[in-house]
Amino acid sequence: AQSVTQLDSQVPVFEEAPVELRCNYSSSVSVYLFWYVQYPNQGLQLLLKYLSGSTLVESINGFEAEFNKSQTSFHLRKPSVHISDTAEYFCAVSDRDNDMRFGAGTRLTVKP
Amino acid sequence: EAGVAQSPRYKIIEKRQSVAFWCNPISGHATLYWYQQILGQGPKLLIQFQNNGVVDDSQLPKDRFSAERLKGVDSTLKIQPAKLEDSAVYLCASSRGLAGTDTQYFGPGTRLTVL
């Protein structure tokens, strides 16, 4: 079965600084990759996903992630973060049967 | 389009008591999932339904946990009897189908505290 490792449990950054949240996965089959965001006291929301095609995927609020098959990574980046980006971010991997496995999460804290 | 609904939002019980959670998926979504999210961890799949049939319940502790989706729409998850280690947020999600390309949409969760 597939698995996900999120390398940083907490990432503090200052507002307007760039950020990278790291995610590595392992799987013996073709996978689909996701980033979900969980704002305080809210449910999980899909941020972006890679299914096929272009390895660079973007969200509507400025985040992007790049699927790197050789390094089995799907790191999430944003060139300039806002206070409102403070949240928990989960990387997830799924196979063709939608058996989804989540990482432990990275808590992003944006400081003024 | 209404999202995934869950109730209650919070529940506090004592160990050895029973508890039930309810989930109503997005209309038209055939696949429904229950996840357990322990504090500091990512969600862990407990059970997956396709319509009213179980697709995967390999990680469900069947000695105390049960789930059903009788009419292929809403679902209930029950714990009987509860243990301290069951304290967690229980998330329900739904998707159009079983394919890995079908996005899973999550409800707000039920936070269970077992004392």
Side-chain angles (χ1 to χ4, degrees):
Chain A
Q2 56 271 20
S3 65
V4 175
T5 302
Q6 290 186 243
L7 296 159
D8 307 292
S9 60
Q10 298 188 54
V11 174
V13 295
F14 287 105
E15 194 173 18
E16 297 184 5
V19 70
E20 178 180 79
L21 307 183
R22 297 179 293 169
C23 172
N24 285 93
Y25 70 92
S26 66
S27 176
S28 58
V29 298
S30 295
V31 296
Y32 309 109
L33 293 155
F34 306 80
W35 276 98
Y36 280 85
V37 58
Q38 189 171 35
Y39 297 104
N41 299 314
Q42 295 187 28
L44 287 163
Q45 302 174 34
L46 180 67
L47 188 61
L48 48 76
K49 61 185 177 183
Y50 169 78
L51 302 180
S52 65
S54 172
T55 58
L56 184 66
V57 291
E58 300 176 350
S59 72
I60 59 173
N61 58 350
F63 282 93
E64 64 178 31
E66 186 160 20
F67 170 57
N68 188 319
K69 188 174 182 179
S70 63
Q71 297 189 8
T72 60
S73 67
F74 191 56
H75 300 331
L76 182 70
R77 301 183 182 95
K78 189 170 185 179
S80 176
V81 294
H82 304 288
I83 297 288
S84 59
D85 292 324
T86 294
E88 187 98 20
Y89 291 79
F90 292 92
C91 182
V93 60
S94 177
D95 62 13
R96 65 178 185 178
D97 296 323
N98 223 342
D99 178 9
M100 184 171 285
R101 304 299 171 105
F102 286 84
T106 297
R107 182 172 300 276
L108 174 65
T109 302
V110 181
K111 299 179 285 187
Chain B
E1 177 178 76
V4 176
Q6 289 187 248
S7 68
R9 291 295 310 277
Y10 305 91
K11 190 73 177 178
I12 300 174
I13 62 172
E14 295 189 351
K15 61 182 178 183
R16 292 189 288 273
Q17 285 187 324
S18 302
V19 65
F21 313 126
W22 174 83
C23 172
N24 193 359
I26 292 173
S27 178
H29 280 195
T31 311
L32 184 146
Y33 314 78
W34 282 102
Y35 289 86
Q36 181 192 56
Q37 185 178 14
I38 293 173
L39 187 64
Q41 300 180 21
K44 182 186 82 171
L45 180 69
L46 293 175
I47 190 167
Q48 180 182 2
F49 291 95
Q50 175 72 358
N51 296 312
N52 60 351
V54 175
V55 175
D56 181 2
D57 63 357
S58 58
Q59 298 189 87
L60 186 74
K62 298 180 186 64
D63 58 334
R64 297 183 300 106
F65 285 65
S66 64
E68 59 184 14
R69 193 185 184 199
L70 293 175
K71 297 182 179 179
V73 181
D74 55 353
S75 174
T76 55
L77 175 70
K78 297 179 182 178
I79 308 175
Q80 181 180 7
K83 293 185 176 181
L84 296 177
E85 58 261 37
D86 299 330
S87 293
V89 176
Y90 290 85
L91 297 167
C92 180
S94 70
S95 63
R96 290 190 182 280
L98 272 176
T101 51
D102 290 327
T103 297
Q104 294 188 29
Y105 296 89
F106 286 80
T110 297
R111 183 177 299 276
L112 173 67
T113 301
V114 182
L115 303 175

